[in-house]
Amino acid sequence: MNNIKKALDSWERKINSKSERFTRSGIPVKVLHTPLDVKGSYMESLGFPGKYPFTRGIHEEMYRKRLWTIREFSGYGDAVETNRRLKYLLQQGETGLSIAFDYPTLLGLDSDDELSRGEFGMAGVGISTLEDMELMFQDIPLGSVSTSMTINGPAAVIWAFYILAAEHQGVSPAELRGTIQNDILKEYMAQKSYIFPPEPSLKLVVDTIEYSSKALPQWNPISISGYHIREAGATAVQELAFTIANGLTYVEETVKRGLDIDDFAPRLSFFFDSSIYFFEEIAKFRAARRIWAREIRSRYKPKKERSMWMRFHTQTSGVSLTAQQPENNIVRTTIEAMAAVLGGTQSLHTNAMDEALGLPTELAATVALRTQQIIAEESGLSDTVDPAGGSYYLEWLTDEMEKETYAYLDRINSMGGVIKGIRNGFFQKEIAESSYRYQKEVEEKKRIIVGVNTYARSGVVKIPLLKVSERYERRQISRLREYRKDRDEQKVRQALNDIQKAAWERNLMPSIISATRARATLGEIVAAMKEVWGEFREQVIF
Amino acid sequence: MRKIRVIIAKPGLDGHDRGAKVLARSLMEKGFDVIYAGIRQTPEDIVRAAIEEDVDVIGLSVLSGSHLYQFRRVASLMKQNKIDDVLLIGGGIIPESDKPKLAKIGVSAVFGPGSSIDEISNFINSKCRRLK
């Protein structure tokens, strides 16, 4: 090491390129990184894949044994139209399903609610009933495919629809594999699809974790998500720190409910963003695994190794895409997807090139899917475990990400935890600051965006776009009205009353499932819960 | 001289407020009077606030795809309330093919992803000066 130090000193005297460069999180990057930057012992900070602290991956052989799941987020129009797109993607080699819901569904409103006007089927599929759920998965065997559903506020209800749709296919809950996002804390921080106040929302999340640990042992009842925090403007460090803080909050609440760490921690899953600043993203994923394993081990002393695993899904960054020269987005997505693979992701969504303009067309969605297949089959990135590990720069950056994350965790802890931080606007302020700073850097060309603030080209962008036909909405609303006619109203009322009685008293899942059997709609079930729990209004911070 | 007053709001249900917030703060720094109304505003809320706050500009941000419905509704309420001299602009994920439709109902400009703050503030300045 002494020799290296001497040689480095003399090398540094000769270099001129001393201007400062920073990662997107503001970590200063040196001109050159050497073994001197890598502190800590190999066995303690890295170790072996499949072994604590899992920095190099959660599985011994990683992608050699099992490739990440290729899971493209999709959904638009009504259940019937989305069913068509899902089957197309499966035919094209997708290996898992991922459902995007429209805004009314995300907020627990029926498709014919006054507030749903103009929104039906636009940003995802509109689902109001068990029947809609069954139509969406018609001819898709739920016993053999895994489904991820991006749903938060009303996740418990949508999950009940899914469980019963599977039952009607003859598939039992214990056989079901998949994920509900169900991460409400980040909704208050970033994505803003909250319904109820934080306290009852958190109770409902713990209900689902508890229920799945008993009835759906292969299901991931939550996907603790940094993605939306990041897309709302946070840096990679903030994304990581806030996600870990949220994750630890869910664990603590579930343990307080009386569950054993080993009964639910193995089914917790995570979801991160992969943006364009390549090495920082890889470092983030590796640091995430290490921090999570360490915290779970030191706080809860699990017996199962799996309880310390951070399994995660990754999506490439929507914000990094440009409306200008959209074809360039294929390249951005490729770089981001490679970072996710080098970071050891368990599942991946690659964005389509046209997503800064609208929902992806079939062609754009296919190119996105092929991007993953090229990385998987041609690039060789999956041939050896953690191929970027050992890079002086990457290991140093992984340590830096970890250090900065702990600094945030300490701050969150000293302010009294995540819910306090949400209530006093801490997270919202931090995110708004970062996004404002980033925009300034772009305006001042301190950050270059090709085709936007550099190499711009004037003229109108010509690219085919997906149009969501109004036909789907008409079809949906007439189906929904028929559904409501064909039921015993008294049974519905009784089921909704039961939900209200159970709201604070006991696990809500059985009551929600009963209400679904009685043909109550999403909007009706959520409205019943709102009556007991109230609705959340945020204080506006910008 | 009175500063130009701008209300920035997000009609509809989507919570993607990054752009709206950055714009609100940036316009403030450029010397505009800015009211940021926040997310999940109905067109009625927005027009009411615009009247109460006596604004010169209404800026709407929609990323959910419901822009045609939302903008139409705001524009028609502006007409009903006789404030259609107020400048109406928009932003978000809005396909090129919808821009002529928005222009027809009175949306003066649409600023999509990648628009610079200068571009937007220059536009507001030039239009509002002409209005006065």
Side-chain angles (χ1 to χ4, degrees):
Chain A
M1 285 287 176
N2 261 340
N3 286 345
I4 301 175
K5 177 90 183 78
K6 248 188 245 159
L8 180 63
D9 286 344
S10 84
W11 179 83
E12 273 181 338
R13 273 193 293 277
K14 283 192 198 126
I15 58 165
N16 298 316
S17 167
K18 284 190 177 134
S19 74
E20 293 210 295
R21 301 266 177 108
F22 299 91
T23 68
R24 292 273 286 267
S25 296
I27 298 170
V29 175
K30 300 179 195 176
V31 183
L32 182 77
H33 290 268
T34 67
L36 298 174
D37 291 314
V38 185
K39 308 275 182 334
S41 86
Y42 178 84
M43 286 310 291
E44 265 173 41
S45 6
L46 300 173
F48 281 77
K51 289 272 169 280
Y52 183 86
F54 307 102
T55 314
R56 306 201 66 184
I58 56 169
H59 302 299
E60 274 91 8
E61 299 170 57
M62 285 303 288
Y63 305 135
R64 274 212 180 203
K65 203 161 177 187
R66 185 174 165 202
L67 204 67
W68 64 89
T69 307
I70 300 179
R71 207 186 271 290
E72 296 290 296
F73 188 46
S74 29
Y76 64 93
D78 70 343
V80 174
E81 179 60 16
T82 295
N83 176 258
R84 206 190 56 75
R85 175 66 72 92
L86 296 180
K87 284 194 279 200
Y88 171 78
L89 287 168
L90 287 171
Q91 271 160 19
Q92 296 301 311
E94 178 176 67
T95 53
L97 296 173
S98 173
I99 310 298
F101 295 99
D102 70 359
Y103 273 95
T105 311
L106 292 173
L107 296 184
L109 300 168
D110 282 341
S111 304
D112 60 349
D113 193 290
E114 180 59 27
L115 288 171
S116 304
R117 291 184 64 186
E119 306 273 8
F120 175 79
M122 288 294 182
V125 58
I127 297 288
S128 301
T129 66
L130 168 58
E131 181 186 57
D132 292 343
M133 188 65 90
E134 292 185 73
L135 286 170
M136 181 156 70
F137 292 108
Q138 196 155 43
D139 306 319
I140 298 174
L142 295 183
S144 53
V145 71
S146 79
T147 306
S148 168
M149 290 182 279
T150 297
I151 189 84
N152 294 281
V157 185
I158 291 293
W159 193 33
F161 288 4
Y162 189 86
I163 292 169
L164 292 184
E167 185 186 281
H168 291 174
Q169 283 191 6
V171 181
S172 76
E175 294 171 75
L176 292 178
R177 288 179 304 120
T179 307
I180 40 175
Q181 192 166 79
N182 203 23
D183 169 11
I184 201 67
L185 293 172
K186 63 92 172 59
E187 295 297 334
Y188 305 106
M189 293 178 182
Q191 189 173 235
K192 312 290 169 73
S193 293
Y194 42 70
I195 301 175
F196 319 112
E199 295 79 5
S201 293
L202 200 51
K203 187 260 174 194
L204 187 57
V205 171
V206 177
D207 284 356
T208 56
I209 296 176
E210 183 181 41
Y211 189 80
S212 79
S213 78
K214 300 194 166 104
L216 286 87
Q218 301 193 75
W219 193 270
N220 303 312
I222 190 166
S223 172
I224 305 150
S225 308
Y227 187 83
H228 321 82
I229 294 172
R230 183 68 176 285
E231 292 287 298
T235 64
V237 166
Q238 289 169 328
E239 175 194 3
L240 176 53
F242 300 171
T243 305
I244 300 253
N246 289 347
L248 292 171
T249 305
Y250 294 120
V251 172
E252 190 56 32
E253 287 296 314
T254 310
V255 167
K256 268 196 220 152
R257 175 76 62 97
L259 270 77
D260 187 279
I261 186 81
D262 289 317
D263 287 341
F264 70 95
R267 293 317 311 174
L268 301 174
S269 65
F270 289 81
F271 171 24
F272 290 108
D273 200 313
S274 189
S275 192
I276 194 75
Y277 200 97
F278 193 63
F279 276 97
E280 187 170 52
E281 299 302 323
I282 308 173
K284 177 185 74 186
F285 299 126
R286 298 169 86 250
R289 271 192 299 270
R290 187 157 78 198
I291 298 169
W292 187 251
R294 183 177 301 130
E295 290 310 302
I296 294 298
R297 182 157 96 168
S298 68
R299 288 170 193 231
Y300 302 101
K301 320 223 163 9
K303 291 183 193 71
K304 287 187 195 160
E305 197 139 82
R306 277 190 75 123
S307 297
M308 295 183 282
W309 284 6
M310 173 182 269
R311 294 175 301 129
F312 63 91
H313 171 70
T314 306
Q315 178 169 343
T316 57
S317 167
V319 165
S320 76
L321 304 183
T322 62
Q324 298 75 10
Q325 304 176 35
E327 300 81 0
N328 298 345
N329 292 329
I330 300 175
V331 181
R332 294 191 176 94
T333 296
T334 306
I335 294 170
E336 295 166 357
M338 283 172 62
V341 169
L342 290 174
T345 195
Q346 275 59 60
S347 128
L348 181 61
H349 164 97
T350 33
N351 289 327
M353 65 175 134
D354 52 1
E355 289 188 68
L357 299 156
L359 292 186
T361 59
E362 199 160 278
L363 173 68
T366 308
V367 173
L369 172 63
R370 296 284 179 258
T371 304
Q372 290 202 42
Q373 290 162 335
I374 291 167
I375 295 172
E377 312 279 353
E378 296 184 23
S379 76
L381 288 192
S382 54
D383 285 347
T384 184
V385 178
D386 189 27
S391 143
Y392 309 124
Y393 175 42
L394 179 63
E395 296 304 350
W396 169 83
L397 198 49
T398 303
D399 293 346
E400 288 295 305
M401 298 296 287
E402 183 177 337
K403 224 173 13 196
E404 304 249 333
T405 298
Y406 272 108
Y408 264 118
L409 291 179
D410 288 344
R411 274 174 81 184
I412 295 164
N413 203 24
S414 65
M415 72 180 66
V418 166
I419 292 194
K420 285 258 172 64
I422 289 168
R423 292 261 185 213
N424 70 26
F426 169 76
F427 300 102
Q428 298 92 315
K429 245 176 262 165
E430 285 282 316
I431 295 168
E433 267 314 307
S434 294
S435 65
Y436 180 71
R437 201 180 317 125
Y438 176 74
Q439 181 63 30
K440 269 203 129 153
E441 287 174 6
V442 172
E443 302 269 329
E444 291 162 6
K445 295 200 184 182
K446 284 183 188 154
R447 293 280 171 200
I448 298 299
I449 303 176
V450 171
V452 176
N453 66 3
T454 313
Y455 312 114
R457 201 168 55 194
S458 58
V460 172
V461 177
K462 285 210 180 88
I463 185 167
L465 289 177
L466 181 87
K467 185 139 177 39
V468 179
S469 155
E470 283 164 16
R471 189 161 57 90
Y472 306 139
E473 181 167 10
R474 285 196 298 271
R475 190 158 76 183
Q476 167 73 3
I477 288 178
S478 74
R479 199 163 52 222
L480 177 55
R481 296 202 166 136
E482 286 303 310
Y483 188 81
R484 285 205 201 95
K485 270 187 217 154
D486 182 20
R487 64 184 191 182
D488 180 340
E489 286 302 322
Q490 200 175 337
K491 270 195 189 153
V492 175
R493 264 197 308 279
Q494 201 181 341
L496 296 175
N497 279 340
D498 279 348
I499 288 178
Q500 295 189 322
K501 268 186 248 150
W504 283 116
E505 299 306 315
R506 51 179 195 269
N507 193 312
L508 259 186
M509 278 314 294
S511 311
I512 294 173
I513 290 174
S514 301
T516 303
R517 283 193 204 282
R519 295 170 78 86
T521 65
L522 170 69
E524 291 163 341
I525 296 174
V526 170
M529 295 196 274
K530 279 181 190 167
E531 272 181 35
V532 181
W533 285 341
E535 287 180 72
F536 182 74
R537 295 252 177 273
E538 72 166 355
Q539 51 160 323
V540 173
I541 291 163
F542 68 100
Chain B
M1 205 179 79
R2 180 183 185 266
K3 288 180 178 177
I4 296 175
R5 286 172 73 78
V6 184
I7 184 167
I8 304 282
K10 283 191 57 63
L13 305 176
D14 96 82
H16 296 101
D17 56 6
R18 176 177 182 163
K21 283 177 162 183
V22 167
L23 181 63
R25 179 158 164 197
S26 303
L27 290 178
M28 216 176 244
E29 309 241 315
K30 289 206 179 274
F32 295 89
D33 256 347
V34 180
I35 298 112
Y36 176 64
I39 62 165
R40 294 195 207 171
Q41 301 292 307
T42 64
E44 287 78 6
D45 295 335
I46 294 165
V47 171
R48 197 180 315 118
I51 295 167
E52 277 167 15
E53 298 282 353
D54 189 23
V55 300
D56 307 296
V57 184
I58 299 177
L60 303 178
S61 165
V62 179
L63 287 87
S64 70
S66 72
H67 47 274
L68 285 177
Y69 173 79
Q70 308 290 356
F71 282 71
R72 261 190 206 127
R73 189 89 191 101
V74 169
S76 90
L77 286 167
M78 285 170 73
K79 212 167 264 166
Q80 272 175 39
N81 288 279
K82 306 204 168 34
I83 58 158
D84 41 347
D85 57 333
V86 167
L87 184 68
L88 178 62
I89 58 175
I93 305 289
I94 293 171
E96 206 51 51
S97 58
D98 286 345
K99 288 183 184 167
K101 294 178 205 157
L102 291 174
K104 221 188 220 165
I105 58 174
V107 180
S108 301
V110 173
F111 299 97
S115 304
S116 78
I117 303 292
D118 280 341
E119 196 185 325
I120 300 170
S121 74
N122 290 343
F123 180 84
I124 295 174
N125 270 322
S126 70
K127 286 283 178 183
C128 286
R129 230 174 283 135
R130 225 179 298 154
L131 286 174
K132 280 186 180 152

